[in-house]
Amino acid sequence: MEDTDTHERTRLLYAHALRDPEWDPHAFADAQGWSNDQLTQAILHLADLQLLCPNPHAPSGWAAAAPSGALGHLLAHGHRTVDGLTKELHQVWNAVSRVIADYHPVHTDQLAHSSTELLTGVARVTAALEDITRSAQREIVSLHPGRAVPPEMIEEGLARDRHALAKGIRIRTVHLHTTASTPHMAAYLDDLQALGGKVKTTQMLPLRMIVVDGASAMVPAPAPEGELAALLVHGGPLAAVFRQIFEHCWVTSVPLPLSGPQTADHAKAGLGDRESTVLALLATGATDESIARRLGASERTVRRIVAELMEQLGATSRFEAGVLATRSGWLGPPPVDEDWLVPAPGSRGLRPGGGSA
């Protein structure tokens, strides 16, 4: 809002412009003792009110208008502004209507296939875990931090694993080093591997979880002390996030060595001389060509053997397969044969059982 002095100067200027169409702005300002800024402010205020209109033929460059005419101009400008806003509002409304009509059903359909449920109590959590593991079609993956489960639960878990693996479902599970070293857990995990499950161990895991077919997941949820609670996720991006967490833990873990004093002999029992030689040479960084010459076999055969061994070990690279085989007791020291070696790359509430138990 303008102050009293500004308002009074504006009225004086307007009255003078009405009386003398030939008025000179600077002469008037000097006579009133106004500064240039005060003169400019008064002129612009009158122009905003449409009481002074630009007129190139007038000496001052401005012509005074009657208040009724100024009011008409202001009302017309207001109507134009309102009409523009109304038109813009209609455009926005039409755009919103199109979005609702065309895309809301798509979003609703996606939500219909995605849900999150909070389960409380041992009975509900156990029943839900049984349901999602029974529904598995392709894979069950799980992380198991914390203490080993009681021995009496192992047989039940192994039975579920055996049933799932017999259906062709892939099982991968990661346990802590300390848990896997517990005698009854070590025996269970050895049995799981013998059935075809994949087991790795690590020093630390972020949370307990099970993910089925990359679409359903169960993780612990906060609950009052002494109670059990879990979050069950079906579909949507959250299940995919839990699947990615598992994959990160899987690639940063190591394959479980077979336990007991017969570790090396037990591991070697499944390897022929050719596979043992391939593994030993992989640990040195040997190429397919050099391994093929050593074996007297084709490079295609060597690639097939390497792929099978990497899958069996859970290795992500050829060199890692050789290192993991040695660490797991599958091999003794690698053969030393300078003719066949090349520089090594880089030389410079949920229970165990792969998620189903």
Side-chain angles (χ1 to χ4, degrees):
M1 180 179 294
E2 61 180 341
D3 58 45
T4 303
D5 290 341
T6 301
H7 179 67
E8 186 60 31
R9 281 195 294 271
T10 303
R11 291 186 61 191
L12 285 173
L13 178 61
Y14 178 63
H16 181 71
L18 282 175
R19 289 195 302 269
D20 183 9
E22 303 295 321
W23 68 288
D24 180 283
H26 294 291
F28 176 78
D30 290 342
Q32 299 295 326
W34 294 358
S35 67
N36 286 335
D37 287 343
Q38 290 172 330
L39 173 64
T40 301
Q41 186 179 27
I43 291 175
L44 291 179
H45 183 68
L46 290 171
D48 288 339
L49 295 175
Q50 301 290 316
L51 293 172
L52 281 184
C53 301
N55 186 342
H57 303 293
S60 64
W62 299 93
S68 57
L71 182 61
H73 285 299
L74 289 173
L75 289 175
H77 176 72
H79 281 303
R80 288 194 298 272
T81 301
V82 171
D83 289 343
L85 290 174
T86 302
K87 182 178 179 181
E88 184 177 351
L89 181 60
H90 280 303
Q91 291 173 342
V92 171
W93 177 254
N94 290 336
V96 169
S97 299
R98 288 196 300 272
V99 168
I100 293 175
D102 296 342
Y103 298 101
H104 183 67
V106 178
H107 184 242
T108 302
D109 183 65
Q110 181 181 11
L111 291 179
H113 293 86
S114 175
S115 65
T116 303
E117 183 179 2
L118 178 64
L119 307 172
T120 56
V122 175
R124 290 192 67 197
V125 172
T126 302
L129 180 59
E130 295 284 352
D131 287 343
I132 65 170
T133 53
R134 270 198 305 268
S135 70
Q137 300 294 320
R138 300 185 307 277
E139 70 166 6
I140 301 172
V141 299
S142 58
L143 303 179
H144 297 275
R147 296 172 296 179
V149 299
E152 57 268 21
M153 298 174 61
I154 292 298
E155 185 175 348
E156 179 186 351
L158 189 61
R160 279 193 293 269
D161 293 332
R162 183 181 291 108
H163 178 71
L165 290 165
K167 291 168 56 179
I169 296 169
R170 185 185 186 194
I171 291 179
R172 290 185 293 156
T173 182
V174 183
H175 290 256
L176 298 179
H177 297 320
T178 52
T179 303
S181 64
T182 306
H184 70 278
M185 283 299 298
Y188 161 71
L189 295 176
D190 277 348
D191 289 340
L192 177 58
Q193 289 195 126
L195 290 171
K198 304 294 184 182
V199 181
K200 285 189 173 186
T201 63
T202 188
Q203 186 70 30
M204 183 180 299
L205 290 169
L207 77 166
R208 187 179 298 273
M209 76 161 70
I210 175 172
V211 184
V212 176
D213 293 337
S216 298
M218 184 181 285
V219 297
E225 187 175 355
E227 294 187 17
L228 179 66
L231 190 67
L232 179 61
V233 178
H234 288 295
L238 190 54
V241 168
F242 288 129
R243 178 67 163 69
Q244 289 301 313
I245 292 173
F246 170 83
E247 289 298 340
H248 173 77
C249 295
W250 180 258
V251 300
T252 55
S253 302
V254 296
L256 176 72
L258 295 174
S259 62
Q262 301 88 9
T263 296
D265 292 337
H266 190 178
K268 288 182 180 179
L271 297 179
D273 291 340
R274 184 164 64 172
E275 286 80 7
S276 297
T277 300
V278 170
L279 275 175
L281 292 171
L282 284 178
T284 70
T287 64
D288 288 343
E289 182 182 3
S290 63
I291 295 174
R293 288 202 305 268
R294 178 70 171 268
L295 296 178
S298 67
E299 290 186 45
R300 181 178 179 181
T301 298
V302 171
R303 285 194 293 271
R304 177 180 58 79
I305 295 172
V306 169
E308 292 173 354
L309 291 171
M310 287 177 61
E311 171 67 20
Q312 190 173 356
L313 285 160
T316 58
S317 70
R318 294 158 50 88
F319 181 67
E320 183 188 14
V323 172
L324 291 177
T326 301
R327 181 187 301 172
S328 301
W330 288 35
L331 298 171
V336 178
D337 185 340
E338 297 297 337
D339 292 336
W340 309 104
L341 302 185
V342 296
S347 55
R348 353 171 275 212
L350 307 179
R351 303 201 293 272
S356 62

